[in-house]
Amino acid sequence: METVVSGIRSTGNLHLGNYYGALQNFIKMQNEYNCFFFIADLHSLTTHPTPADLHSNVKQVLVEYLAAGIDPEKATIYVQSDVPEISELYLYLNMNAYLGELERATSFKDKVRANPDNVNAGLLTYPVLMAADIIIHKATKVPVGKDQEQHLEMARTFGNRFNRLYNHEYFPEPYAFNYSSNLVKIPGLDGKGKMGKSEGEGNAIFLCDTPEAIKKKVMRAVTDAGPTTENQTKPQEIQNLFDLMKVVSSADTVAHFDDLYNKMAIRYGDLKKQLTEDMIIATAPIRDRINAIAGDADYLRKVAAMGEEKARASASKTIREVREIIGFKKF
Ligand code: TRP
């Protein structure tokens, strides 16, 4: 069975875009592949979180992924820092990662531009750590978005370079992987592009949002003055609301409002009310589970310990072999 690895950054709450875009893929994959999903807390150190923030961010991600349906009996879900073998592989890979190629990474250049006062070596070698994350389990499939393509290419480069250096076909090549039919676009509420946590207050609906918060955000969503001719093409802000509706509402409901729009009889207030209602219903089970799991310290401890054990079993096997290939020997 092929191995899947994906890292989840512990920054901020999960929103509907994460859920319908990425998580539903993970939930499907856990039934079909040997899946490792981890919380990337080592990666988060590049921005120097306080110990309290670090821990609460990790917990939040763990709780929300479990609540959304990642099953610790099917997939291995673990905290990256619980598996020190990853850091060891990162060190070895760093010996064959070159300054020039690391400086050329788009994500590095973006981060330098955004935070010129914090250009640390961890930031520069982020793609090396990410490569270690993936190849430590000899994964071949990595469910990530388009923005991670370059990092995956670098992971292949570093793995291949190791293989070549030691003349040993050891690491397989990892590739981006998604069920193409599941690549639904989840727009935000600001009338522009996709839902995101950094696009400003009110743009994203979080899985942990209360019904009141959802209502407030949807009611404030950007709209226009209404259609001016029959059957006209919808402007983006209106199309966005329909796209969201397609995800959380029934086909009948979408058709009903589409019809009203085409007849120029739509009232956006009604559309938003319906959208709010259906969003609240669609997210209710997850919200309930988030609240239940967040208070269950025993369960969280058990899940994290189980994940750690399974991840370390896989990672330590790789590290044992890598040490041998490199030439480390006991006296
Ligand atoms: N870089 C990824 C992101 O920004 C997170 C990540 C870290 C990751 N390590 C990974 C994703 C390994 C897939 C596999 O979203």
Side-chain angles (χ1 to χ4, degrees):
M1 204 196 314
E2 279 187 274
T3 296
V4 167
V5 168
S6 199
I8 302 143
R9 271 185 304 169
S10 38
T11 49
N13 298 105
L14 282 176
H15 53 67
L16 288 183
N18 301 132
Y19 181 69
Y20 291 105
L23 257 162
Q24 293 221 316
N25 266 313
F26 289 9
I27 290 160
K28 197 167 159 199
M29 283 173 206
Q30 68 185 357
N31 295 312
E32 299 170 18
Y33 299 100
N34 179 28
C35 289
F36 292 91
F37 299 126
F38 70 93
I39 300 159
D41 61 343
L42 293 175
H43 285 283
S44 81
L45 293 181
T46 54
T47 54
H48 313 143
T50 65
D53 282 349
L54 178 74
H55 181 74
S56 74
N57 288 341
V58 169
K59 179 183 167 187
Q60 187 72 34
V61 177
L62 182 61
V63 166
E64 293 193 346
Y65 274 76
L66 292 169
I70 294 198
D71 182 347
E73 302 286 345
K74 293 178 180 166
T76 300
I77 175 159
Y78 63 98
V79 180
Q80 187 186 24
S81 62
D82 280 340
V83 184
E85 290 82 3
I86 297 166
S87 299
E88 185 172 338
L89 182 58
Y90 165 63
L91 184 147
Y92 302 147
L93 296 179
N94 265 326
M95 303 303 169
N96 296 296
Y98 292 91
L99 183 61
E101 62 188 339
L102 295 171
E103 280 175 332
R104 276 195 301 278
T106 311
S107 62
F108 177 69
K109 288 193 281 193
D110 289 347
K111 282 172 189 155
V112 170
R113 217 172 296 121
N115 298 296
D117 297 332
N118 184 28
V119 186
N120 59 65
L123 208 57
L124 182 71
T125 56
Y126 184 105
V128 187
L129 182 54
M130 180 161 162
D133 291 331
I134 298 166
I135 69 180
I136 191 92
H137 301 301
K138 297 188 159 186
T140 49
K141 288 182 150 54
V142 185
V144 283
K146 266 249 155 299
D147 62 325
Q148 297 296 314
E149 277 292 354
Q150 193 178 36
H151 286 156
L152 271 182
E153 192 184 331
M154 294 173 87
R156 290 192 290 276
T157 300
F158 300 141
N160 284 331
R161 207 173 274 161
F162 179 94
N163 292 350
R164 225 174 307 114
L165 178 65
Y166 295 105
N167 197 15
H168 198 302
E169 273 307 311
Y170 187 69
F171 291 115
E173 288 189 327
Y175 284 93
F177 169 67
N178 280 295
Y179 299 104
S180 52
S181 60
N182 276 21
L183 283 182
V184 281
K185 186 186 132 215
I186 309 293
L189 294 169
D190 61 1
K192 299 189 196 113
K194 64 177 192 174
M195 186 174 285
K197 50 195 161 205
S198 47
E199 332 301 326
E201 187 65 27
N203 179 52
I205 302 282
F206 296 107
L207 296 178
C208 63
D209 275 346
T210 60
E212 298 76 58
I214 295 176
K215 181 166 177 209
K216 219 184 217 162
K217 289 179 186 176
V218 174
M219 289 321 228
R220 282 192 192 148
V222 177
T223 51
D224 66 356
T228 49
T229 55
E230 288 193 359
N231 301 313
Q232 75 178 61
T233 312
K234 300 179 186 77
Q236 185 171 16
E237 62 269 29
I238 304 303
Q239 185 60 50
N240 285 355
L241 295 180
F242 274 88
D243 284 347
L244 286 167
M245 199 169 227
K246 278 181 208 153
V247 173
V248 295
S249 305
S250 71
D252 284 355
T253 303
V254 179
H256 169 72
F257 283 100
D258 208 35
D259 211 41
L260 289 175
Y261 187 87
N262 288 333
K263 290 193 298 209
M264 300 198 307
I266 195 160
R267 293 202 314 216
Y268 291 141
D270 294 343
L271 172 96
K272 286 178 167 182
K273 242 171 99 183
Q274 183 72 48
L275 182 58
T276 301
E277 218 170 274
D278 292 340
M279 264 186 187
I280 291 171
I281 293 170
T283 50
I286 305 177
R287 198 163 34 249
D288 292 347
R289 280 198 299 270
I290 290 175
N291 294 331
I293 295 172
D296 194 343
D298 277 347
Y299 177 65
L300 290 174
R301 200 175 308 115
K302 212 181 90 198
V303 167
M306 197 164 85
E308 175 182 344
E309 192 185 323
K310 286 198 278 178
R312 284 200 77 179
S314 157
S316 60
K317 177 172 185 288
T318 302
I319 282 297
R320 234 182 356 261
E321 293 166 352
V322 162
R323 282 173 153 263
E324 199 179 306
I325 291 169
I326 290 177
F328 292 127
K329 273 200 181 97
K330 288 269 184 290
F331 284 97

